[in-house]
Amino acid sequence: MRGERPTSARIIPRAEHGISRSNISEYALKVLYRLSQGGYEAYLVGGGVRDLLLGREPKDFDVATDASPEEVRRLFRNCRIIGRRFRLAHVHFGREIIEVATFRGLAEESEGNDKSVSANGIVLRDNVYGTLEEDAWRRDFTVNALYYNIKDFSVVDYTGGMADLKAGRMRMIGDPAQRFREDPVRMLRAVRFAAKLGFRIDPQSERAIRELGYLLEEVASARLFDESLKLLLTGNGVGTYELLRHYRLFGHLFPDTELALAEEQDNFPHTLLLNALENTDARIARGQPVTPAFLYAALLWEPVRREAELFERRKMPSIQAMQLAGDAVVARQVKRVGLPKRFSLQSREIWEWQERLASGVGGRAFKLLEQKRFRAAYDFLLLRAKSGEPVQELANWWSRFQEADEAQRQTMVRANSGGGARKRRRPPRKRPAKAAT
Ligand code: ATP
Ligand code: MG
């Protein structure tokens, strides 16, 4: 508990840890040195320190200082102050941004603070400046609260983060239930780091997560969207998805999908989600671009497919059924996780195109192939086929059509025009009899 915290830090001297300046971005070093020369304290903190200590390449470098944002701005011309909830200084170097945060205090303990807490304990604002020590105790996990001091290259550890780092443990600072209530996104962060680092979540935090998952439903949908990308679209999607389900958090983010998963047959749609995430992870590992639209198309596919089926049973044309189903599922989903319209429009196109690809194996195939949505829709069709949906033949046809020369294409299209083509207009929409492994 916070009240029982020790009052002194463990200082790990340069000779006893593995952080070398050669692994720190030159811009982060520049910021640290200039702050220090300006008479301020300056530390590298957060994921940067954690990842360096683990011998991993940090995603970004965060700096903590006793200089106020205005004082930081005075030192750097290329600096912008951002944020309403937390005021931060962003120092820009071309495309790289070094985030500089002023030490924050524990607002409960300071006078005249402007921290406000909602009825259910969620912190709305905490902009109270504090000391290095206070800054350490208000962070989320002990392994995220280690500071690299530019003055003597030591690591400062108030919360026992070094020991947890060595033990591979995500341990919440303070009382986990209280800290998750303050900010439910910390539950997602626990899972994200556990999956990324291969760490275990400590039992007390685990228990709190199992109990408090529902609090995610109170978090702003835009923030959950940002977090969903960090969870599923940064290279550890498969492991993160599995942990999210294990801790029963997934359903609070994707309730329709969770429902479909609960009724899974022969491992579908579980297989489709795993294949989609595996695919995404592999693309990221190869440095290829990934898009939220494709991921969300996969996440919501089963709910959309089911809803479209209901419309079709009422004799609605299939493209229209898919459009209406897409509208309905997206409308429900964005209340929870605020997928921006520019992405949801693309997801919907991918779904509608599944119908186009099914009915377009005649003369229209040439036109479809030229359109800019073809690639994503075709990739999605492959994903469905691989996951056990009965569309393998259709997917093969489109694969062959793309590889064929003009004459072969004409032959393929002719074979589907006239009497025979109608029959294969749509593949059966039944659940697959046997899922692919
Ligand atoms: P990565 O950047 O690799 O995703 P990170 O740990 O650096 O991981 P950031 O979101 O960049 O994560 O946050 C930087 C630091 O700020 C964290 O390490 C943590 O100390 C603190 N922090 C971030 N979010 C919270 C939160 N919700 N509650 C408490 N502390 C937080
Ligand atoms: Mg970071």
Side-chain angles (χ1 to χ4, degrees), residues 241 250 257 261 269-278 298-300:
Y241 162 75
F250 186 78
T257 311
L261 285 163
H270 185 64
T271 314
L272 180 116
L273 290 186
L274 280 184
N275 284 337
L277 289 166
E278 234 167 59
L299 282 166
L300 300 175

Side-chain angles (χ1 to χ4, degrees), residues 46-47 50 59 62 139-140 144 183 186 189 192 196:
R50 180 196 67 215
K59 201 186 73 199
D62 297 321
R139 286 181 184 270
D140 49 4
N144 285 349
D183 181 5
R186 289 172 183 152
R189 291 173 57 85
R192 172 154 68 89
K196 168 175 154 172

Side-chain angles (χ1 to χ4, degrees), residues 6-62:
T7 50
S8 65
R10 218 188 118 210
I11 311 283
I12 299 109
R14 170 66 192 95
E16 290 169 34
H17 67 73
I19 298 184
S20 147
R21 267 167 294 163
S22 61
N23 295 323
I24 302 174
S25 110
E26 59 168 311
Y27 300 128
L29 286 174
K30 227 178 217 171
V31 169
L32 289 167
Y33 280 127
R34 187 159 325 158
L35 282 167
S36 183
Q37 280 151 16
Y40 300 105
E41 290 181 65
Y43 300 86
L44 208 59
V45 66
V49 179
R50 180 196 67 215
D51 292 349
L52 286 174
L53 285 169
L54 290 169
R56 307 172 66 107
E57 196 187 330
K59 201 186 73 199
D60 49 37
F61 291 93
D62 297 321

Side-chain angles (χ1 to χ4, degrees), residues 219-342:
V219 177
S221 65
R223 185 161 176 227
L224 287 184
F225 174 69
D226 291 345
E227 199 60 34
S228 79
L229 300 188
K230 292 186 194 168
L231 287 161
L232 300 175
L233 220 51
T234 55
N236 307 292
V238 171
T240 309
Y241 162 75
E242 281 171 343
L243 276 189
L244 283 174
R245 292 212 74 220
H246 175 76
Y247 288 110
R248 290 184 227 122
L249 296 176
F250 186 78
H252 297 294
L253 300 178
F254 300 99
D256 282 5
T257 311
E258 180 66 30
L259 216 67
L261 285 163
E263 294 167 19
E264 73 179 4
Q265 276 175 25
D266 304 315
N267 244 349
F268 195 88
H270 185 64
T271 314
L272 180 116
L273 290 186
L274 280 184
N275 284 337
L277 289 166
E278 234 167 59
N279 215 328
T280 310
D281 289 349
R283 289 183 66 89
I284 292 169
R286 289 194 298 261
Q288 292 173 309
V290 290
T291 148
F294 193 87
L295 175 71
Y296 271 78
L299 282 166
L300 300 175
W301 170 240
E302 186 63 7
V304 168
R305 201 186 63 80
R306 287 175 179 214
E307 199 139 331
E309 211 168 75
L310 295 182
F311 286 127
E312 280 191 66
R313 267 192 228 143
R314 288 188 248 142
K315 304 283 177 272
M316 190 183 284
S318 21
I319 292 230
Q320 200 188 342
M322 193 65 91
Q323 283 168 345
L324 283 187
D327 282 350
V329 170
V330 166
R332 286 199 298 273
Q333 180 61 47
V334 295
K335 285 191 198 141
R336 207 50 74 78
V337 180
L339 177 69
K341 205 161 207 145
R342 65 179 185 281

Side-chain angles (χ1 to χ4, degrees), residues 129-190:
Y129 300 134
T131 61
L132 170 65
E133 174 166 8
E134 288 173 329
D135 191 77
W137 288 99
R138 61 94 200 162
R139 286 181 184 270
D140 49 4
F141 301 95
T142 60
V143 295
N144 285 349
L146 294 164
Y147 296 77
Y148 173 80
N149 190 349
I150 198 63
K151 252 204 176 116
D152 58 5
F153 316 124
S154 66
V155 170
V156 185
D157 178 9
Y158 281 100
T159 65
M162 235 20 193
D164 288 329
L165 201 77
K166 284 193 182 119
R169 193 161 51 211
M170 292 307 303
R171 188 163 60 84
M172 178 54 87
I173 297 171
D175 171 43
Q178 185 195 331
R179 304 295 316 279
F180 290 140
R181 282 207 181 87
E182 281 171 8
D183 181 5
V185 169
R186 289 172 183 152
M187 293 186 271
L188 299 177
R189 291 173 57 85

Side-chain angles (χ1 to χ4, degrees), residues 176 180 201-211 246-247:
F180 290 140
I201 300 175
D202 88 289
Q204 229 195 326
S205 301
E206 270 189 325
R207 232 172 295 131
I209 291 175
R210 286 226 165 78
E211 271 168 35
H246 175 76
Y247 288 110

